[in-house]
Amino acid sequence: MNGKGSVYNARNAEIFIVLVFELIFIGLYIQSILIGDMTRSLWPLIAIVFTLVPFAFEWKEKVSLPFGLKMMVPFALFLHVTGGIMRWYWEVPFFDKFAHVVSAIALGLILFTMYQYLDYLEYVKKKPFFKKRIRFFKTQEWDVLAGIFVILVIFGFAWEFSEFLIVVIYHTTYNFGLVDSV
């Protein structure tokens, strides 16, 4: 009943959930236009495109991405887009923290998948991405975990710095100071 030919499989469920998110992004675009928030009306459209990137990558590279990745990307985007348009950042306590945790998980999945893809290129396709292997730890697993952690920290700093710049340039309330960033 849940075999490869069945319509009830993980891939179809993932596609259905992503389609629901795409419809929500269209609704958020309409909502932002209706409330006159032209600045934020661009973000649902960007989210629609970013949501399709994993599918395009799968199609172009003829690989299958891990289950959940294609759902986590639109979920993280949904939280950030909705948080601004529906004012959840300012009205729902700790919403910003929740959105950032979900985004860190989504980014961690993307980075882990990137490492898997690099392994695929090296060991299956025999086309290594790097000419020389770089090792910081004794095992490749620790190198991967350290790489994911470092990249997540860099992205986190960049994200918080961009929120700070938005506050300084546009005099908004995206960032509530150093305590919020930490």
Side-chain angles (χ1 to χ4, degrees):
M1 190 79 167
N2 197 11
K4 194 170 189 169
S6 172
V7 293
Y8 303 109
N9 61 32
R11 178 161 174 76
N12 289 344
E14 206 168 37
I15 290 170
F16 175 76
I17 291 169
V18 169
L19 286 174
V20 169
F21 275 118
E22 295 287 54
L23 291 172
I24 291 170
F25 290 138
I26 292 169
L28 288 168
Y29 172 75
I30 294 168
Q31 173 67 14
S32 64
I33 298 296
L34 290 175
I35 63 174
D37 195 347
M38 300 312 288
T39 305
R40 287 192 186 88
S41 68
L42 181 63
W43 293 111
L45 302 177
I46 292 171
I48 288 171
V49 172
F50 278 0
T51 297
L52 297 175
V53 168
F55 290 97
F57 181 80
E58 272 188 333
W59 175 75
K60 181 185 178 302
E61 295 298 320
K62 295 176 182 42
V63 296
S64 182
L65 296 176
F67 179 74
L69 175 72
K70 294 182 293 271
M71 292 183 294
M72 278 304 287
V73 169
F75 182 50
L77 292 168
F78 163 77
L79 290 175
H80 287 291
V81 171
T82 307
I85 293 172
M86 303 302 286
R87 313 284 302 156
W88 292 352
Y89 278 121
W90 301 274
E91 296 174 5
V92 177
F94 300 106
F95 178 79
D96 183 52
K97 309 303 180 255
F98 176 69
H100 287 171
V101 167
V102 169
S103 295
I105 292 169
L107 182 58
L109 280 171
I110 291 168
L111 293 171
F112 179 72
T113 302
M114 178 196 71
Y115 278 107
Q116 283 184 319
Y117 181 69
L118 292 176
D119 271 355
Y120 167 77
L121 286 179
E122 185 171 350
Y123 297 112
V124 176
K125 292 288 190 176
K126 305 294 185 209
K127 298 178 191 173
F129 188 76
F130 298 106
K131 302 260 188 257
K132 185 179 179 195
R133 185 171 287 265
I134 301 170
R135 282 270 191 254
F136 293 105
F137 296 98
K138 287 184 179 182
T139 65
Q140 182 177 0
E141 290 82 8
W142 281 105
D143 282 341
V144 169
L145 289 174
I148 290 172
F149 178 77
V150 167
I151 294 170
L152 282 174
V153 168
I154 290 169
F155 270 85
F157 279 129
W159 185 268
E160 290 299 326
F161 184 70
S162 69
E163 281 186 352
F164 175 74
L165 284 180
I166 290 170
V167 169
V168 169
I169 294 170
Y170 297 107
H171 305 291
T172 65
T173 56
Y174 267 110
N175 187 297
F176 300 108
L178 184 60
V179 173
D180 176 63
S181 292
V182 171

